[in-house]
Amino acid sequence: MEGVQPEGVGDKYSLIVPTYNERLNIALLVYLVFKHLRDVDFEIIIVDDGSPDGTQDVVKQLQQVYGDDRILLRARPRKLGLGTAYAHGLKHASGNFVVIMDADLSHHPKYLPSFIKKQQETGASIVTGTRYVKGGGVHGWTLMRKLTSRGANVLAQTFLWPGVSDLTGSFRLYRKSVLEDLISSCVSKGYVFQMEMIVRASRKGYHIEEVPITFVDRVFGSSKLGGSEIIEYLKGLAYLLVTT
């Protein structure tokens, strides 16, 4: 793989992808991962929360194409929260590094080589994708959505001082042992989960690096962010302020 250092030999990457009604996106995501990680040892763990749209049927077809050792379907009966989806996927991960990413193509797999390269160059425990540094950005969002996201980050930066520019992003590479440690100490379940993870990582002194990414609003399906998530975010911010 272009630009990746030889010391990465022997590393394996487990990509945990939570899904709910992502039938239209999952095949393209998998194709793009295989395209951009040609010379990398990896597996994709799909944690589907009982999607009624046939997501699991598509994943089973993908297993026939790529092999069920590369595409692991680890389904759950219903929606149980993002944090628990990662914990569930982590139990089945055989890699020494874990990537968490969304299924809706908002996280383009073309960035994965730069995550891996950054980790190998710096020895970081966490590499997180950021929309808020030079080279990063957002595509397809309304001004209101941009302001909400930016405001959420500024609020958290002001109160929590985590030393990371994009707290609510959910495209990250972790050392498996670090992710296990962080998940065991996190209490948030939904939208706040990503913020709690990175704040706790900062408090524990883990080495965190950032890679600029362009976040693209979902191509198919509907966004799962609404007013209730914003309230949940503010509650989570208050909780972290008190407990970290």
Side-chain angles (χ1 to χ4, degrees), residues 31-44:
Y31 163 77
L32 288 169
V33 169
F34 274 85
K35 178 185 173 185
H36 289 284
L37 292 185
R38 281 212 173 110
D39 303 320
V40 175
D41 186 11
F42 72 91
E43 62 187 2
I44 304 174

Side-chain angles (χ1 to χ4, degrees), residues 16-30 32-33 44 46-48 51 53 55 79 82 86 100-109 111 131 138-141 145 168-171 191 194 213-225:
I16 301 177
V17 183
T19 56
Y20 185 76
N21 286 351
E22 298 293 358
R23 179 177 64 83
L24 294 170
N25 295 314
I26 195 64
L28 181 54
L29 178 81
V30 167
L32 288 169
V33 169
I44 304 174
I46 296 167
V47 181
D48 185 71
S51 297
D53 74 338
T55 298
K79 288 183 87 169
L82 195 58
Y86 292 129
I100 62 172
M101 63 190 299
D102 292 346
D104 61 8
L105 303 174
S106 56
H107 299 151
H108 200 298
Y111 295 112
R131 298 161 285 189
V138 171
H139 183 75
W141 273 10
R145 182 91 191 268
T168 54
S170 52
F171 193 5
Y191 181 61
Q194 304 295 1
I213 62 164
T214 297
F215 179 98
V216 179
D217 205 19
R218 62 163 45 249
V219 181
F220 296 113
S222 58
S223 174
K224 301 176 175 82
L225 177 65

Side-chain angles (χ1 to χ4, degrees), residues 34-93:
F34 274 85
K35 178 185 173 185
H36 289 284
L37 292 185
R38 281 212 173 110
D39 303 320
V40 175
D41 186 11
F42 72 91
E43 62 187 2
I44 304 174
I45 302 167
I46 296 167
V47 181
D48 185 71
D49 279 1
S51 297
D53 74 338
T55 298
Q56 290 184 34
D57 295 332
V58 176
V59 174
K60 285 168 186 168
Q61 291 173 14
L62 291 167
Q63 287 179 316
Q64 291 172 8
V65 175
Y66 295 102
D68 58 12
D69 58 327
R70 305 296 299 281
I71 309 280
L72 286 67
L73 176 58
R74 298 295 180 260
R76 305 192 298 174
R78 63 185 189 283
K79 288 183 87 169
L80 296 165
L82 195 58
T84 62
Y86 292 129
H88 183 74
L90 193 55
K91 285 190 287 197
H92 303 281

